[in-house]
Amino acid sequence: MKNCVHPINCIIPPHMAERILEKGSPVQKKKAEEYIRIAGQIRGQRQMLAELTRKVRAAEGERNRKVYDARNGSSLPGNLVRSEGDAPTGDAAVDEAYDGSGATYDLYSEIFSRNSIDNKGMDLLSTVHFMEGYDNAFWNGEQMVYGDGDEDMPEQERIYNRFTKAIDIIGHELTHGVTQHEANLVYRNQPGALNESFSDVFGSLVKQRVKNHTADQADWLIGEGIFTSNVNADGIRSMKAPGTAYDDPLLGRDPQPGHMNDYNDTTSDNGGVHINSGIPNKAFYNVAVELGGYAWEKAGRIWYKTLCDELDGSSDFQAAANSTHKVAGDLYGNNSTEQRAVYNGWKTVGIIPGSDNHGGCRGSIRRILHSLFDGSNS
Amino acid sequence: MAAILKEQMDQEQFHIYFERSGGFTGISTSIEMDSRELAPGEAEELKRLIVHSGFFEAITFDNRFVHMPDQFYYNITIEHMGKKRTLELNDGSVPDLFRPLINYLVRAARASKKKH
């Protein structure tokens, strides 16, 4: 106790000091910082200081990125190789994961005033070099995970490059986290395809913002650069022209529809979540191009507000159309240019906002069949 | 004697159907393999991986992550010594012991696609 410089410092419990750091006045914050520093010295708990400092930074809206290396194993998160503020490592996958998660954080923070994935300053955790020959990237509910493609195959037979190579994939995976904390769309059938589509939309916006592209300058490709030159592919998906991203003897043909008439009723891939996402993807593209300018400014804002405030876990395409139309009216006025663009964007893919027709007769039949045999609402 | 040998050989035979779906790309890949059509060394290696995985043993899988976005889904059916079992797994539930078998089957599926 002899090290105690102020009687109050000695009796403040850590959680209270933390609270003062987050919410207190500048003078109170300074005193709380002093307490934590001294308490840390006394108890030898440097980690406590670091953790509390991190929480304060998160509350104040600062990025905190951590990139781990799985060293081709499957244990997560792996070994920490780059933290916030560290210099580039020279490992392309590590540095791409770091930069890409930063660009995604910036889009959400600077454009949509969102404080990280959970809107509470969550750390951005990425693991690269996951397993061997792992041609995939995914969000596991807590972090992003990236494989190196099919690097275990002879070079002339490789199809995929590392999955951090496309910045929109990083934005896509982080957006799964945002969706989890907002609408929490069920990862199956139409809600699942919407979940995928929101990830493609904001992943593409991350890329467009980094490249400073307007809607008409953007390529609207998802996963550009992921495929090697051994296959005939521009990317994994095209938001501009679903179904045209690849056509190759090894890969087959891009199966994405761009209209409800071509909706794919399938049970595989959780009810075609990566296939039917082409329909809402195309709707967003239509809206963004009709409005012109930077897609994140108006179309992105409408979609973001819809994801956060209007949709729930069971929302389907019709609900997304209705909600984006409503939000466009709320933000820009009824019958505004923006609301008309949203209406036209969905109509072009076969969904009329406000009509509640769920994609016409085919949609109605599909819903009845699903409710009979699948137990879902989509 | 010949009949007994044949019966033993038949018991060593196995048939596999493997499909991987989902993933970020949504592009599925599959392969069907029969031990009688494999080179002896290849069949032995595959049999070793099946035994290593404990495929036919009572294993419980962690299915909490069944709807984890963009993960792979694996459907594996193996017929061996009169037994047949189908397992549906995903990246969140695959036990580490299964990884070598799945990696082998993924590589075989890729190579098979290349041939055709």
Side-chain angles (χ1 to χ4, degrees):
Chain A
M1 292 295 282
K2 66 182 179 183
N3 286 332
C4 188
V5 296
H6 192 290
I8 295 174
N9 287 344
C10 302
I11 56 170
I12 299 175
H15 69 270
M16 194 179 291
E18 185 184 328
R19 176 82 180 168
I20 293 168
L21 268 175
E22 287 178 13
K23 306 284 183 187
S25 69
V27 175
Q28 289 168 328
K29 281 183 177 180
K30 197 174 176 187
K31 281 193 178 295
E33 275 175 5
E34 187 184 17
Y35 160 73
I36 290 165
R37 184 177 58 79
I38 292 167
Q41 283 172 354
I42 292 170
R43 296 171 193 158
Q45 292 177 344
R46 289 183 191 169
Q47 208 173 347
M48 173 191 170
L49 181 61
E51 178 62 14
L52 288 176
T53 306
R54 185 199 65 73
K55 285 183 177 176
V56 173
R57 284 170 56 189
E60 289 174 350
E62 287 185 32
R63 297 186 297 202
N64 193 30
R65 291 166 284 179
K66 287 180 180 168
V67 184
Y68 298 83
D69 186 345
R71 294 182 181 167
N72 301 119
S74 57
S75 294
L76 294 174
N79 300 294
L80 181 63
V81 288
R82 190 173 176 190
S83 298
E84 189 65 44
D86 288 353
T89 61
D91 179 326
V94 171
D95 296 333
E96 286 164 351
Y98 183 89
D99 293 341
S101 54
T104 307
Y105 180 98
D106 290 348
L107 172 81
Y108 279 110
S109 173
E110 293 165 15
I111 303 300
F112 306 124
S113 301
R114 185 180 187 83
N115 186 5
S116 194
I117 296 170
D118 59 353
N119 208 15
K120 294 176 183 169
M122 182 179 181
D123 290 351
L124 304 178
L125 310 180
S126 312
T127 294
V128 299
H129 304 310
F130 181 71
M131 296 181 47
E132 279 182 22
Y134 191 75
D135 44 0
N136 197 22
F138 64 90
W139 166 258
N140 80 344
E142 295 172 356
Q143 67 160 102
M144 296 148 284
V145 182
Y146 304 97
D148 287 331
D150 48 2
E151 85 289 356
D152 57 335
M153 297 291 281
E155 197 164 339
Q156 67 275 13
E157 292 181 21
R158 288 179 197 164
I159 297 172
Y160 299 102
N161 290 310
R162 62 181 182 277
F163 270 63
T164 49
K165 196 167 183 180
I167 195 170
D168 47 274
I169 292 183
I170 295 170
H172 176 108
E173 294 309 329
L174 276 162
T175 300
H176 277 310
V178 173
T179 298
Q180 176 187 317
H181 288 278
E182 296 296 344
N184 201 15
L185 291 154
V186 172
Y187 204 64
R188 188 171 173 79
N189 298 329
Q190 284 197 21
L194 275 179
N195 192 323
E196 274 300 311
S197 178
F198 276 103
S199 277
D200 279 352
V201 163
F202 291 103
S204 182
L205 293 184
V206 169
K207 176 180 169 183
Q208 290 175 35
R209 190 157 180 260
V210 165
K211 287 176 168 276
N212 196 32
H213 279 173
T214 55
D216 61 335
Q217 291 170 328
D219 61 20
W220 295 95
L221 287 169
I222 300 298
E224 183 198 17
I226 279 301
F227 289 112
T228 67
S229 57
N230 296 327
V231 290
N232 180 34
D234 296 327
I236 292 166
R237 294 181 279 277
S238 169
M239 297 178 70
K240 180 179 182 177
T244 66
Y246 58 87
D247 189 358
D248 181 86
L250 270 176
L251 298 168
R253 192 174 175 187
D254 177 1
Q256 279 213 309
H259 193 283
M260 284 303 286
N261 286 346
D262 303 313
Y263 186 94
N264 191 331
D265 273 314
T266 176
T267 54
S268 69
D269 187 27
N270 281 310
V273 296
H274 293 92
I275 298 171
N276 294 313
S277 56
I279 295 167
N281 276 0
K282 173 74 173 173
F284 181 83
Y285 164 82
N286 290 337
V287 175
V289 168
E290 184 171 331
L291 290 175
Y294 294 121
W296 58 84
E297 287 183 340
K298 288 184 176 175
R301 191 176 302 278
I302 294 165
W303 254 245
Y304 177 73
K305 188 166 167 50
T306 299
L307 179 65
C308 294
D309 299 341
E310 302 293 332
L311 302 182
D312 61 31
S314 63
S315 297
D316 60 9
F317 290 179
Q318 184 66 54
N322 295 348
S323 298
T324 48
H325 188 252
K326 172 189 174 294
V327 168
D330 293 344
L331 289 174
Y332 301 104
N334 285 328
N335 205 29
S336 59
T337 304
E338 291 79 6
Q339 194 182 40
R340 287 199 302 274
V342 170
Y343 184 91
N344 294 337
W346 284 105
K347 187 183 174 193
T348 306
V349 301
I351 301 170
I352 310 291
S355 68
D356 203 28
N357 72 355
H358 293 259
C361 291
R362 285 195 67 199
S364 300
I365 293 166
R366 185 167 46 250
R367 276 202 331 284
I368 292 165
L369 289 173
H370 275 149
S371 65
L372 285 173
F373 300 110
D374 193 44
S376 83
N377 295 325
S378 60
Chain B
M1 188 66 181
I4 293 169
L5 274 175
K6 185 177 183 311
E7 192 181 330
Q8 283 176 345
M9 281 177 69
D10 284 345
Q11 284 181 346
E12 292 297 309
Q13 288 166 6
F14 54 85
H15 191 88
I16 298 180
Y17 176 76
F18 170 76
E19 183 182 18
R20 187 187 74 176
S21 61
F24 179 87
T25 67
I27 299 171
S28 63
T29 185
S30 63
I31 189 168
E32 205 161 350
M33 301 174 89
D34 192 295
S35 60
R36 287 168 294 190
E37 293 163 13
L38 296 174
E42 206 178 346
E44 277 304 306
E45 172 65 0
L46 193 47
K47 200 167 75 181
R48 187 186 69 75
L49 294 172
I50 294 169
V51 171
H52 175 77
S53 71
F55 189 88
F56 286 101
E57 292 161 24
I59 306 166
T60 53
F61 299 101
D62 184 352
N63 277 320
R64 282 175 302 165
F65 306 110
V66 70
H67 293 306
M68 196 163 74
D70 292 331
Q71 68 177 326
F72 282 132
Y73 295 88
Y74 308 99
N75 185 308
I76 314 171
T77 298
I78 303 181
E79 292 176 71
H80 179 54
M81 295 179 73
K83 288 184 283 186
K84 180 180 178 180
R85 190 178 192 194
T86 298
L87 293 179
E88 291 180 357
L89 305 167
N90 54 68
D91 278 326
S93 67
V94 171
D96 284 344
L97 288 174
F98 270 70
R99 287 287 185 195
L101 174 63
I102 287 174
N103 290 348
Y104 183 96
L105 294 170
V106 167
R107 278 199 294 273
R110 284 181 189 143
S112 155
K113 245 182 176 178
K114 190 83 183 169
K115 277 182 201 164
H116 297 107

